[in-house]
mmCIF file of all heavy atoms in Angstrom:
data_model
loop_
_atom_site.group_PDB
_atom_site.id
_atom_site.type_symbol
_atom_site.label_atom_id
_atom_site.label_comp_id
_atom_site.label_asym_id
_atom_site.label_seq_id
_atom_site.Cartn_x
_atom_site.Cartn_y
_atom_site.Cartn_z
ATOM 1 N N VAL A 1 -76.974 52.381 162.129
ATOM 2 C CA VAL A 1 -75.641 52.345 161.435
ATOM 3 C C VAL A 1 -75.653 53.326 160.280
ATOM 4 O O VAL A 1 -76.644 53.382 159.535
ATOM 5 C CB VAL A 1 -75.288 50.932 160.953
ATOM 6 C CG1 VAL A 1 -74.073 50.938 160.101
ATOM 7 C CG2 VAL A 1 -75.099 50.036 162.165
ATOM 8 N N ASP A 2 -74.623 54.097 160.091
ATOM 9 C CA ASP A 2 -74.433 54.997 158.978
ATOM 10 C C ASP A 2 -73.769 54.345 157.784
ATOM 11 O O ASP A 2 -72.943 53.432 157.966
ATOM 12 C CB ASP A 2 -73.610 56.224 159.397
ATOM 13 C CG ASP A 2 -74.270 57.093 160.430
ATOM 14 O OD1 ASP A 2 -75.523 57.147 160.410
ATOM 15 O OD2 ASP A 2 -73.568 57.708 161.255
ATOM 16 N N VAL A 3 -74.126 54.785 156.639
ATOM 17 C CA VAL A 3 -73.462 54.342 155.370
ATOM 18 C C VAL A 3 -72.154 55.120 155.213
ATOM 19 O O VAL A 3 -72.130 56.385 155.327
ATOM 20 C CB VAL A 3 -74.369 54.549 154.132
ATOM 21 C CG1 VAL A 3 -73.574 54.333 152.824
ATOM 22 C CG2 VAL A 3 -75.535 53.622 154.199
ATOM 23 N N ALA A 4 -71.044 54.412 155.069
ATOM 24 C CA ALA A 4 -69.745 55.070 154.838
ATOM 25 C C ALA A 4 -69.449 55.406 153.391
ATOM 26 O O ALA A 4 -68.478 56.125 153.150
ATOM 27 C CB ALA A 4 -68.674 54.173 155.448
ATOM 28 N N GLY A 5 -70.248 54.896 152.486
ATOM 29 C CA GLY A 5 -69.990 55.091 151.042
ATOM 30 C C GLY A 5 -70.239 53.843 150.297
ATOM 31 O O GLY A 5 -70.506 52.794 150.871
ATOM 32 N N SER A 6 -70.110 53.945 148.984
ATOM 33 C CA SER A 6 -70.304 52.739 148.123
ATOM 34 C C SER A 6 -69.233 52.724 147.054
ATOM 35 O O SER A 6 -68.483 53.661 146.920
ATOM 36 C CB SER A 6 -71.700 52.762 147.494
ATOM 37 O OG SER A 6 -71.929 53.956 146.749
ATOM 38 N N GLU A 7 -69.135 51.614 146.346
ATOM 39 C CA GLU A 7 -68.109 51.429 145.323
ATOM 40 C C GLU A 7 -68.628 50.491 144.253
ATOM 41 O O GLU A 7 -69.497 49.630 144.438
ATOM 42 C CB GLU A 7 -66.824 50.889 145.928
ATOM 43 C CG GLU A 7 -67.004 49.496 146.588
ATOM 44 C CD GLU A 7 -65.758 49.007 147.395
ATOM 45 O OE1 GLU A 7 -64.977 49.888 147.803
ATOM 46 O OE2 GLU A 7 -65.622 47.799 147.539
ATOM 47 N N ILE A 8 -68.079 50.702 143.052
ATOM 48 C CA ILE A 8 -68.376 49.871 141.890
ATOM 49 C C ILE A 8 -67.046 49.155 141.540
ATOM 50 O O ILE A 8 -66.016 49.824 141.407
ATOM 51 C CB ILE A 8 -68.944 50.632 140.718
ATOM 52 C CG1 ILE A 8 -70.371 51.044 141.048
ATOM 53 C CG2 ILE A 8 -68.909 49.796 139.435
ATOM 54 C CD1 ILE A 8 -70.998 51.947 140.022
ATOM 55 N N ILE A 9 -67.080 47.831 141.393
ATOM 56 C CA ILE A 9 -65.938 47.066 141.005
ATOM 57 C C ILE A 9 -66.031 46.757 139.471
ATOM 58 O O ILE A 9 -67.031 46.185 139.026
ATOM 59 C CB ILE A 9 -65.825 45.731 141.808
ATOM 60 C CG1 ILE A 9 -65.858 46.058 143.313
ATOM 61 C CG2 ILE A 9 -64.584 44.991 141.450
ATOM 62 C CD1 ILE A 9 -64.765 46.922 143.782
ATOM 63 N N GLY A 10 -65.025 47.120 138.788
ATOM 64 C CA GLY A 10 -65.057 46.870 137.340
ATOM 65 C C GLY A 10 -65.816 47.996 136.603
ATOM 66 O O GLY A 10 -65.891 49.137 137.033
ATOM 67 N N LEU A 11 -66.430 47.602 135.470
ATOM 68 C CA LEU A 11 -67.085 48.582 134.621
ATOM 69 C C LEU A 11 -68.582 48.612 134.956
ATOM 70 O O LEU A 11 -69.122 47.688 135.491
ATOM 71 C CB LEU A 11 -66.891 48.178 133.132
ATOM 72 C CG LEU A 11 -65.437 48.078 132.653
ATOM 73 C CD1 LEU A 11 -65.426 47.810 131.119
ATOM 74 C CD2 LEU A 11 -64.610 49.228 133.021
ATOM 75 N N VAL A 12 -69.193 49.754 134.573
ATOM 76 C CA VAL A 12 -70.639 49.924 134.737
ATOM 77 C C VAL A 12 -71.288 50.399 133.485
ATOM 78 O O VAL A 12 -70.673 51.318 132.803
ATOM 79 C CB VAL A 12 -70.901 50.890 135.945
ATOM 80 C CG1 VAL A 12 -70.269 52.269 135.705
ATOM 81 C CG2 VAL A 12 -72.386 51.020 136.172
ATOM 82 N N PRO A 13 -72.376 49.908 133.038
ATOM 83 C CA PRO A 13 -72.995 50.404 131.822
ATOM 84 C C PRO A 13 -73.399 51.872 131.939
ATOM 85 O O PRO A 13 -73.925 52.245 133.049
ATOM 86 C CB PRO A 13 -74.212 49.500 131.627
ATOM 87 C CG PRO A 13 -73.922 48.272 132.413
ATOM 88 C CD PRO A 13 -73.088 48.727 133.584
ATOM 89 N N LEU A 14 -73.262 52.636 130.887
ATOM 90 C CA LEU A 14 -73.635 54.069 130.931
ATOM 91 C C LEU A 14 -75.144 54.177 131.215
ATOM 92 O O LEU A 14 -75.574 55.128 131.938
ATOM 93 C CB LEU A 14 -73.351 54.726 129.571
ATOM 94 C CG LEU A 14 -73.702 56.149 129.393
ATOM 95 C CD1 LEU A 14 -73.046 57.044 130.467
ATOM 96 C CD2 LEU A 14 -73.352 56.644 127.997
ATOM 97 N N GLU A 15 -75.933 53.256 130.771
ATOM 98 C CA GLU A 15 -77.378 53.351 130.946
ATOM 99 C C GLU A 15 -77.706 53.242 132.451
ATOM 100 O O GLU A 15 -78.659 53.923 132.874
ATOM 101 C CB GLU A 15 -78.063 52.128 130.234
ATOM 102 C CG GLU A 15 -79.562 52.154 130.307
ATOM 103 C CD GLU A 15 -80.204 51.002 129.628
ATOM 104 O OE1 GLU A 15 -79.501 50.295 128.848
ATOM 105 O OE2 GLU A 15 -81.395 50.770 129.824
ATOM 106 N N ALA A 16 -76.893 52.550 133.199
ATOM 107 C CA ALA A 16 -77.174 52.428 134.691
ATOM 108 C C ALA A 16 -76.937 53.748 135.345
ATOM 109 O O ALA A 16 -77.667 54.157 136.298
ATOM 110 C CB ALA A 16 -76.267 51.345 135.321
ATOM 111 N N LEU A 17 -75.947 54.537 134.907
ATOM 112 C CA LEU A 17 -75.675 55.834 135.466
ATOM 113 C C LEU A 17 -76.663 56.873 135.000
ATOM 114 O O LEU A 17 -77.088 57.768 135.798
ATOM 115 C CB LEU A 17 -74.284 56.234 135.058
ATOM 116 C CG LEU A 17 -73.121 55.344 135.564
ATOM 117 C CD1 LEU A 17 -71.796 55.849 135.197
ATOM 118 C CD2 LEU A 17 -73.214 55.133 137.088
ATOM 119 N N VAL A 18 -77.127 56.767 133.774
ATOM 120 C CA VAL A 18 -78.146 57.686 133.299
ATOM 121 C C VAL A 18 -79.468 57.445 134.080
ATOM 122 O O VAL A 18 -80.149 58.400 134.416
ATOM 123 C CB VAL A 18 -78.378 57.462 131.773
ATOM 124 C CG1 VAL A 18 -79.667 58.247 131.315
ATOM 125 C CG2 VAL A 18 -77.183 57.939 130.979
ATOM 126 N N ASP A 19 -79.756 56.193 134.390
ATOM 127 C CA ASP A 19 -80.907 55.924 135.246
ATOM 128 C C ASP A 19 -80.817 56.641 136.566
ATOM 129 O O ASP A 19 -81.841 57.216 137.096
ATOM 130 C CB ASP A 19 -81.025 54.414 135.461
ATOM 131 C CG ASP A 19 -81.488 53.624 134.269
ATOM 132 O OD1 ASP A 19 -81.950 54.267 133.278
ATOM 133 O OD2 ASP A 19 -81.379 52.364 134.260
ATOM 134 N N LEU A 20 -79.653 56.685 137.182
ATOM 135 C CA LEU A 20 -79.434 57.417 138.414
ATOM 136 C C LEU A 20 -79.746 58.939 138.247
ATOM 137 O O LEU A 20 -80.401 59.527 139.038
ATOM 138 C CB LEU A 20 -78.030 57.208 138.915
ATOM 139 C CG LEU A 20 -77.660 55.807 139.490
ATOM 140 C CD1 LEU A 20 -76.180 55.775 139.847
ATOM 141 C CD2 LEU A 20 -78.462 55.541 140.752
ATOM 142 N N ALA A 21 -79.168 59.488 137.167
ATOM 143 C CA ALA A 21 -79.339 60.894 136.914
ATOM 144 C C ALA A 21 -80.834 61.276 136.703
ATOM 145 O O ALA A 21 -81.286 62.323 137.098
ATOM 146 C CB ALA A 21 -78.496 61.327 135.754
ATOM 147 N N GLN A 22 -81.558 60.349 136.077
ATOM 148 C CA GLN A 22 -82.990 60.617 135.830
ATOM 149 C C GLN A 22 -83.729 60.847 137.138
ATOM 150 O O GLN A 22 -84.547 61.756 137.215
ATOM 151 C CB GLN A 22 -83.598 59.413 135.082
ATOM 152 C CG GLN A 22 -83.209 59.260 133.650
ATOM 153 C CD GLN A 22 -83.778 58.031 133.019
ATOM 154 O OE1 GLN A 22 -84.104 57.030 133.723
ATOM 155 N NE2 GLN A 22 -83.859 57.974 131.726
ATOM 156 N N VAL A 23 -83.404 60.044 138.105
ATOM 157 C CA VAL A 23 -84.119 60.141 139.411
ATOM 158 C C VAL A 23 -83.498 61.267 140.322
ATOM 159 O O VAL A 23 -84.229 62.127 140.806
ATOM 160 C CB VAL A 23 -84.122 58.835 140.133
ATOM 161 C CG1 VAL A 23 -84.783 58.940 141.510
ATOM 162 C CG2 VAL A 23 -84.790 57.730 139.306
ATOM 163 N N VAL A 24 -82.196 61.173 140.548
ATOM 164 C CA VAL A 24 -81.536 62.106 141.475
ATOM 165 C C VAL A 24 -81.614 63.532 141.010
ATOM 166 O O VAL A 24 -81.847 64.468 141.785
ATOM 167 C CB VAL A 24 -80.063 61.710 141.660
ATOM 168 C CG1 VAL A 24 -79.312 62.663 142.544
ATOM 169 C CG2 VAL A 24 -80.020 60.298 142.288
ATOM 170 N N LEU A 25 -81.450 63.774 139.712
ATOM 171 C CA LEU A 25 -81.489 65.146 139.182
ATOM 172 C C LEU A 25 -82.926 65.545 138.673
ATOM 173 O O LEU A 25 -83.066 66.676 138.289
ATOM 174 C CB LEU A 25 -80.480 65.244 138.011
ATOM 175 C CG LEU A 25 -78.995 65.014 138.367
ATOM 176 C CD1 LEU A 25 -78.176 65.193 137.135
ATOM 177 C CD2 LEU A 25 -78.545 65.953 139.503
ATOM 178 N N GLY A 26 -83.852 64.629 138.738
ATOM 179 C CA GLY A 26 -85.202 64.910 138.330
ATOM 180 C C GLY A 26 -85.297 65.164 136.822
ATOM 181 O O GLY A 26 -85.977 66.082 136.383
ATOM 182 N N ILE A 27 -84.600 64.323 136.037
ATOM 183 C CA ILE A 27 -84.629 64.523 134.560
ATOM 184 C C ILE A 27 -85.157 63.164 134.021
ATOM 185 O O ILE A 27 -84.406 62.354 133.468
ATOM 186 C CB ILE A 27 -83.238 64.782 133.961
ATOM 187 C CG1 ILE A 27 -82.513 65.838 134.770
ATOM 188 C CG2 ILE A 27 -83.384 65.218 132.492
ATOM 189 C CD1 ILE A 27 -81.159 66.074 134.370
ATOM 190 N N PRO A 28 -86.480 62.898 134.084
ATOM 191 C CA PRO A 28 -86.993 61.583 133.691
ATOM 192 C C PRO A 28 -86.818 61.276 132.189
ATOM 193 O O PRO A 28 -86.804 60.087 131.851
ATOM 194 C CB PRO A 28 -88.489 61.660 134.062
ATOM 195 C CG PRO A 28 -88.768 63.141 134.113
ATOM 196 C CD PRO A 28 -87.545 63.798 134.576
ATOM 197 N N ASP A 29 -86.620 62.238 131.384
ATOM 198 C CA ASP A 29 -86.530 62.001 129.971
ATOM 199 C C ASP A 29 -85.077 61.961 129.450
ATOM 200 O O ASP A 29 -84.796 61.892 128.253
ATOM 201 C CB ASP A 29 -87.249 63.047 129.136
ATOM 202 C CG ASP A 29 -88.756 63.041 129.401
ATOM 203 O OD1 ASP A 29 -89.263 61.898 129.602
ATOM 204 O OD2 ASP A 29 -89.383 64.097 129.386
ATOM 205 N N LEU A 30 -84.121 61.984 130.400
ATOM 206 C CA LEU A 30 -82.692 61.915 130.037
ATOM 207 C C LEU A 30 -82.400 60.614 129.342
ATOM 208 O O LEU A 30 -82.816 59.558 129.808
ATOM 209 C CB LEU A 30 -81.802 62.066 131.270
ATOM 210 C CG LEU A 30 -80.275 62.124 130.996
ATOM 211 C CD1 LEU A 30 -79.891 63.326 130.226
ATOM 212 C CD2 LEU A 30 -79.504 62.058 132.323
ATOM 213 N N ARG A 31 -81.602 60.667 128.213
ATOM 214 C CA ARG A 31 -81.316 59.462 127.425
ATOM 215 C C ARG A 31 -79.832 59.299 127.263
ATOM 216 O O ARG A 31 -79.070 60.292 127.347
ATOM 217 C CB ARG A 31 -81.962 59.543 126.068
ATOM 218 C CG ARG A 31 -83.454 59.767 126.077
ATOM 219 C CD ARG A 31 -83.994 59.811 124.633
ATOM 220 N NE ARG A 31 -83.337 60.761 123.738
ATOM 221 C CZ ARG A 31 -83.566 62.066 123.701
ATOM 222 N NH1 ARG A 31 -84.475 62.573 124.539
ATOM 223 N NH2 ARG A 31 -82.888 62.843 122.931
ATOM 224 N N VAL A 32 -79.377 58.082 127.095
ATOM 225 C CA VAL A 32 -77.976 57.804 126.842
ATOM 226 C C VAL A 32 -77.507 58.569 125.634
ATOM 227 O O VAL A 32 -76.350 59.012 125.604
ATOM 228 C CB VAL A 32 -77.736 56.292 126.681
ATOM 229 C CG1 VAL A 32 -76.346 56.021 126.183
ATOM 230 C CG2 VAL A 32 -77.996 55.502 127.951
ATOM 231 N N SER A 33 -78.314 58.702 124.641
ATOM 232 C CA SER A 33 -77.959 59.372 123.429
ATOM 233 C C SER A 33 -77.656 60.848 123.634
ATOM 234 O O SER A 33 -77.087 61.520 122.757
ATOM 235 C CB SER A 33 -79.039 59.257 122.371
ATOM 236 O OG SER A 33 -80.268 59.840 122.815
ATOM 237 N N GLN A 34 -77.966 61.412 124.830
ATOM 238 C CA GLN A 34 -77.691 62.804 125.149
ATOM 239 C C GLN A 34 -76.290 62.987 125.784
ATOM 240 O O GLN A 34 -75.857 64.080 126.081
ATOM 241 C CB GLN A 34 -78.720 63.387 126.063
ATOM 242 C CG GLN A 34 -80.052 63.587 125.414
ATOM 243 C CD GLN A 34 -81.118 64.125 126.396
ATOM 244 O OE1 GLN A 34 -81.831 63.364 127.018
ATOM 245 N NE2 GLN A 34 -81.154 65.467 126.554
ATOM 246 N N VAL A 35 -75.595 61.858 126.004
ATOM 247 C CA VAL A 35 -74.285 61.917 126.560
ATOM 248 C C VAL A 35 -73.273 62.010 125.475
ATOM 249 O O VAL A 35 -73.224 61.210 124.489
ATOM 250 C CB VAL A 35 -73.992 60.599 127.368
ATOM 251 C CG1 VAL A 35 -72.579 60.626 127.955
ATOM 252 C CG2 VAL A 35 -74.992 60.456 128.532
ATOM 253 N N VAL A 36 -72.384 63.057 125.516
ATOM 254 C CA VAL A 36 -71.447 63.272 124.423
ATOM 255 C C VAL A 36 -70.557 62.045 124.160
ATOM 256 O O VAL A 36 -70.416 61.713 122.982
ATOM 257 C CB VAL A 36 -70.544 64.518 124.788
ATOM 258 C CG1 VAL A 36 -69.421 64.731 123.714
ATOM 259 C CG2 VAL A 36 -71.358 65.784 124.907
ATOM 260 N N GLU A 37 -70.016 61.452 125.139
ATOM 261 C CA GLU A 37 -69.102 60.309 124.974
ATOM 262 C C GLU A 37 -69.778 59.165 124.265
ATOM 263 O O GLU A 37 -69.090 58.395 123.590
ATOM 264 C CB GLU A 37 -68.544 59.849 126.315
ATOM 265 C CG GLU A 37 -67.503 60.822 126.883
ATOM 266 C CD GLU A 37 -68.110 62.043 127.581
ATOM 267 O OE1 GLU A 37 -69.327 62.128 127.639
ATOM 268 O OE2 GLU A 37 -67.353 62.935 128.000
ATOM 269 N N HIS A 38 -71.084 59.067 124.330
ATOM 270 C CA HIS A 38 -71.788 57.992 123.634
ATOM 271 C C HIS A 38 -71.601 58.118 122.161
ATOM 272 O O HIS A 38 -71.438 57.134 121.447
ATOM 273 C CB HIS A 38 -73.295 58.051 123.990
ATOM 274 C CG HIS A 38 -74.156 57.208 123.136
ATOM 275 N ND1 HIS A 38 -74.186 55.819 123.267
ATOM 276 C CD2 HIS A 38 -75.044 57.495 122.109
ATOM 277 C CE1 HIS A 38 -75.012 55.282 122.412
ATOM 278 N NE2 HIS A 38 -75.510 56.264 121.710
ATOM 279 N N HIS A 39 -71.518 59.356 121.675
ATOM 280 C CA HIS A 39 -71.368 59.531 120.206
ATOM 281 C C HIS A 39 -69.916 59.486 119.773
ATOM 282 O O HIS A 39 -69.600 59.242 118.598
ATOM 283 C CB HIS A 39 -71.992 60.916 119.854
ATOM 284 C CG HIS A 39 -73.417 60.989 120.064
ATOM 285 N ND1 HIS A 39 -74.396 60.484 119.150
ATOM 286 C CD2 HIS A 39 -74.167 61.520 121.117
ATOM 287 C CE1 HIS A 39 -75.572 60.682 119.660
ATOM 288 N NE2 HIS A 39 -75.468 61.298 120.790
ATOM 289 N N LEU A 40 -69.001 59.731 120.681
ATOM 290 C CA LEU A 40 -67.586 59.680 120.390
ATOM 291 C C LEU A 40 -66.977 58.311 120.480
ATOM 292 O O LEU A 40 -65.877 58.092 120.017
ATOM 293 C CB LEU A 40 -66.844 60.665 121.304
ATOM 294 C CG LEU A 40 -67.264 62.122 121.288
ATOM 295 C CD1 LEU A 40 -66.397 62.898 122.302
ATOM 296 C CD2 LEU A 40 -67.129 62.691 119.889
#
């Protein structure tokens, strides 16, 4: 069976998305504090 896609219901913590970027983009040292919106 193929995956048709995924979805998130409601809100998601920024940290959870940064964790994804660390692995998928190969940036193990990426931190939430490097996200512009975190400071704004």
Side-chain angles (χ1 to χ4, degrees):
V1 171
D2 293 329
V3 171
S6 57
E7 60 188 24
I8 288 174
I9 305 301
L11 304 186
V12 58
L14 178 59
E15 184 181 347
L17 300 181
V18 169
D19 286 348
L20 286 176
Q22 288 175 337
V23 178
V24 176
L25 300 180
I27 314 173
D29 296 326
L30 183 66
R31 305 181 306 278
V32 171
S33 61
Q34 290 178 267
V35 178
V36 173
E37 285 79 4
H38 169 73
H39 296 279
L40 301 179

